């Protein structure tokens, strides 16, 4: 076994390389898991700030795990906060639009079907499916990001497709 060169990531070039290597995947992970409404870009930045603040305690081998866990926890905290906000906030509907009423109705119905179908997926299936179909990641890349086997990724995506085809006939 080779000697470990760094026992922490407090050197700027090392931290920068970790950021460049993992920031995009972390953003996509958060986006697919939680959507865009909770600002995954901000949570990525916050996670890397926390990594920098704790750089002396985190080895390079643990940096990816640290930022993914931190960002996920930040998003979960934001979800909890948004639930409280929604209880005390009333949204006003849009008053006008340029689309026909028929189009708006069909669009709303499709969105409801899609959201329902996606919500019927397990979290694991939804993450793997979105990474594969929206971002175009290969099974091997998804397996590395989620720290699971390629076969597990295949099973999750196949299960997601089966459920989606059953729930939405138009797909």
């Amino acid at each position: 076994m080779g000697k470990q060169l760094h026992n922490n990531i407090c050197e700027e070039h090392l931290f920068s390389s970790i950021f460049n290597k993992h920031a995009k995947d972390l953003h996509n992970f958060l986006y697919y898991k939680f959507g865009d409404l909770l600002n995954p870009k901000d949570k990525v930045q916050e996670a890397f700030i926390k990594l920098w603040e704790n750089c002396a305690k985190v080895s390079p081998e643990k940096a990816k795990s640290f930022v993914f866990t931190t960002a996920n926890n930040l998003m979960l905290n934001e979800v909890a906060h948004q639930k409280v906000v929604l209880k005390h906030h009333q949204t006003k509907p849009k008053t006008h639009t340029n689309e026909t009423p028929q189009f708006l109705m069909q669009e709303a119905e499709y969105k409801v079907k899609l959201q329902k179908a996606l919500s019927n997926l397990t979290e694991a299936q939804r993450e793997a499916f979105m990474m594969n179909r929206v971002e175009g990641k290969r099974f091997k890349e998804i397996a590395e990001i989620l720290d699971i086997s390629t076969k597990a990724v295949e099973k999750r995506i196949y299960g997601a497709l089966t459920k989606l085809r059953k729930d939405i006939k138009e797909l």
Side-chain angles (χ1 to χ4, degrees):
M1 289 180 81
K3 183 181 175 191
Q4 186 177 346
L5 297 176
H6 304 280
N7 60 358
N8 64 49
I9 54 166
C10 291
E11 296 176 26
E12 188 175 336
H13 73 281
L14 184 57
F15 182 86
S16 179
S17 70
I18 290 170
F19 177 84
N20 291 334
K21 184 175 182 183
H22 299 297
K24 185 176 190 289
D25 287 338
L26 178 57
H27 171 268
N28 292 337
F29 170 76
L30 295 175
Y31 177 78
Y32 295 140
K33 189 169 182 179
F34 297 101
D36 199 32
L37 295 174
L38 300 176
N39 273 333
K41 288 180 183 177
D42 290 349
K43 300 307 182 267
V44 169
Q45 294 297 319
E46 289 178 43
F48 277 99
I49 289 169
K50 288 187 183 287
L51 178 63
W52 182 253
E53 290 170 349
N54 293 291
C55 69
K57 301 174 192 170
V58 180
S59 68
E61 297 81 28
K62 302 286 184 186
K64 178 181 178 183
S65 174
F66 181 91
V67 292
F68 271 73
T69 301
T70 301
N72 191 51
N73 289 340
L74 288 167
M75 288 298 269
L76 291 173
N77 290 343
E78 185 67 22
V79 167
H81 174 71
Q82 289 302 321
K83 285 181 181 178
V84 172
V85 170
L86 285 175
K87 279 186 175 180
H88 302 288
H89 181 70
Q90 294 180 352
T91 57
K92 295 181 181 177
K94 272 174 116 179
T95 56
H96 67 283
T97 181
N98 293 337
E99 285 88 13
T100 66
Q102 182 182 5
F103 175 80
L104 291 173
M105 186 177 77
Q106 289 173 339
E107 182 183 37
E109 288 173 358
Y110 185 78
K111 282 183 180 181
V112 168
K113 277 186 179 180
L114 180 61
Q115 289 300 317
K116 185 177 181 195
L118 288 173
S119 69
N120 286 338
L121 298 177
T122 65
E123 184 177 315
Q125 287 175 328
R126 187 172 45 255
E127 287 173 347
F129 175 78
M130 297 293 278
M131 286 180 178
N132 177 253
R133 296 304 166 116
V134 176
E135 188 179 333
K137 287 198 177 290
R138 296 174 183 232
F139 290 177
K140 184 177 179 183
E141 293 173 296
I142 297 169
E144 290 173 7
I145 290 170
L146 299 177
D147 198 26
I148 58 175
S149 70
T150 305
K151 278 290 185 193
V153 172
E154 290 175 15
K155 184 175 180 182
R156 288 178 183 185
I157 291 173
Y158 177 76
L161 287 170
T162 303
K163 280 185 179 179
L164 288 173
R165 283 187 190 112
K166 180 181 170 189
D167 292 347
I168 302 177
K169 302 293 186 231
E170 292 90 24
L171 288 181

